[in-house]
Amino acid sequence: MADFLEQLGSILFLDIETASLTESFEELDPRLQDEWVKKERLIKKTEEGHIDPGSLYFDRAGIHAEFGQIVCIGVGYYQRKKKEKKLIFRSKVFANDSEKELLQDFSALLEKKKWVLCAHNGKEFDFPYICRRMLIQGIPLPEPLQISGKKPWEVRHLDTMELWKFGDYKHYTRLELLASVFGVPSSKDDLDGSQVNSTFHLENDLEKIKKYCLKDVEVTARVYLAMNPQLELEEFEIIQLDDDSDQKGD
């Protein structure tokens, strides 16, 4: 258990929220419009009925890094207080009108420590999405995201969905389902992932998205603890850091 607690402090739990690059398909760069229509044709093959070109853009573009953007990144890490027998979870959200500045700030955090990154479905979505958007914005990938040429055991990425698979490659489990079975409070109080794009573009309510993002980070971190039941704690505390707080994880 001592080894687990030592390793726990090096894990950076994260979650990203994404939206389409533009509010409407017509605002998208013409070259990207052509590419999106081609992608829609692939989507149409799995759905019935006629779909007008560009009609799927608002609802679907945000999940594709080439046609979407990151509007916030929530992060959190555990800090152990041995004397008080307390485990503190410190969290913070990165958000900025400029995606480039948001990603630069997040990159600076990743360079501060030899982090192990953890997200739910992170290997399929969060990690590659962040990498692609960083490169599109001309930002060098920070060390924890540099996986090219590394052996699998050298990549410091954890994925709670992958951990729950136990080798079952056909199994997909939503974070909300894991939270339910482990008795972890839901993050879906006022918002869910399908509403992020309209909340960002139509309601212009980034604060609501930030709160939802931080809740997802906390849920992921709690689920990770629940998947390691050898840990017994007398007290647990959550601290949300201000936007301008320095996050060192020590």
Side-chain angles (χ1 to χ4, degrees):
M1 186 173 71
D3 290 341
F4 174 77
L5 286 172
E6 290 177 5
Q7 296 170 1
L8 187 64
S10 296
I11 299 176
L12 185 70
F13 298 91
L14 66 89
D15 179 65
I16 68 173
E17 300 303 331
T18 65
S20 56
L21 271 177
T22 55
E23 180 177 332
S24 69
F25 175 70
E26 290 72 24
E27 295 175 273
L28 195 62
D29 180 273
R31 292 177 66 188
L32 287 177
Q33 287 186 25
D34 291 341
E35 293 300 322
W36 177 255
V37 170
K38 293 175 182 176
K39 183 171 286 293
E40 275 186 333
R41 292 177 188 147
L42 298 176
I43 298 174
K44 289 177 186 178
K45 291 181 180 180
T46 63
E47 299 183 356
E48 297 180 0
H50 173 73
I51 301 175
D52 294 327
S55 61
L56 299 181
Y57 175 76
F58 189 82
D59 292 329
R60 304 287 186 89
I63 64 173
H64 301 280
E66 300 84 0
F67 305 96
Q69 60 178 313
I70 297 174
V71 298
C72 70
I73 302 178
V75 299
Y77 65 94
Y78 285 108
Q79 188 176 47
R80 186 188 182 199
K81 298 293 185 181
K82 296 181 181 179
K83 293 182 179 179
E84 297 91 341
K85 294 183 180 180
K86 179 189 293 185
L87 195 62
I88 297 175
F89 185 70
R90 298 180 181 272
S91 63
K92 177 180 179 178
V93 63
F94 292 89
N96 195 303
D97 292 335
S98 166
E99 184 193 41
K100 184 170 185 176
E101 291 183 21
L102 182 162
L103 291 173
Q104 286 174 330
D105 291 341
F106 177 67
S107 177
L109 170 64
L110 294 191
E111 296 288 9
K112 289 182 177 180
K113 184 174 180 177
K114 196 173 182 179
W115 293 107
V116 175
L117 306 182
C118 182
H120 189 75
N121 198 28
K123 292 186 178 181
E124 288 290 328
F125 184 71
D126 302 72
F127 305 149
Y129 201 112
I130 293 171
C131 290
R132 291 165 185 159
R133 291 309 302 174
M134 280 187 171
L135 294 182
I136 289 172
Q137 293 288 5
I139 301 171
L141 296 182
E143 189 275 332
L145 291 174
Q146 295 175 12
I147 64 174
S148 179
K150 288 185 178 179
K151 298 178 177 61
W153 56 87
E154 294 174 334
V155 179
R156 301 192 307 279
H157 293 175
L158 293 173
D159 188 326
T160 46
M161 190 177 80
E162 182 182 73
L163 293 172
W164 188 247
K165 285 182 178 181
F166 293 100
D168 181 0
Y169 291 101
K170 301 183 297 298
H171 196 67
Y172 175 83
T173 308
R174 296 177 67 240
L175 178 62
E176 179 63 16
L177 175 55
L178 286 185
S180 298
V181 299
F182 284 122
V184 174
S186 173
S187 62
K188 308 296 189 287
D189 297 332
D190 303 318
L191 191 68
D192 64 46
S194 65
Q195 300 169 312
V196 169
N197 206 49
S198 59
T199 303
F200 179 75
H201 283 298
L202 304 182
E203 299 177 26
N204 194 28
D205 194 348
L206 184 57
E207 287 301 316
K208 188 174 182 180
I209 298 173
K210 287 164 61 176
K211 291 178 182 177
Y212 166 65
C213 185
L214 279 179
K215 288 181 180 179
D216 261 357
V217 174
E218 181 189 330
V219 170
T220 302
R222 285 182 175 271
V223 165
Y224 182 80
L225 276 189
M227 294 171 74
N228 293 273
Q230 75 272 18
L231 181 63
E232 294 183 3
L233 298 166
E234 294 184 2
E235 192 173 349
F236 182 83
E237 181 181 353
I238 298 172
I239 298 177
Q240 291 186 3
L241 303 175
D242 296 331
D243 289 347
D244 58 353
S245 296
D246 192 21
Q247 194 160 346
K248 298 179 181 178
D250 51 18

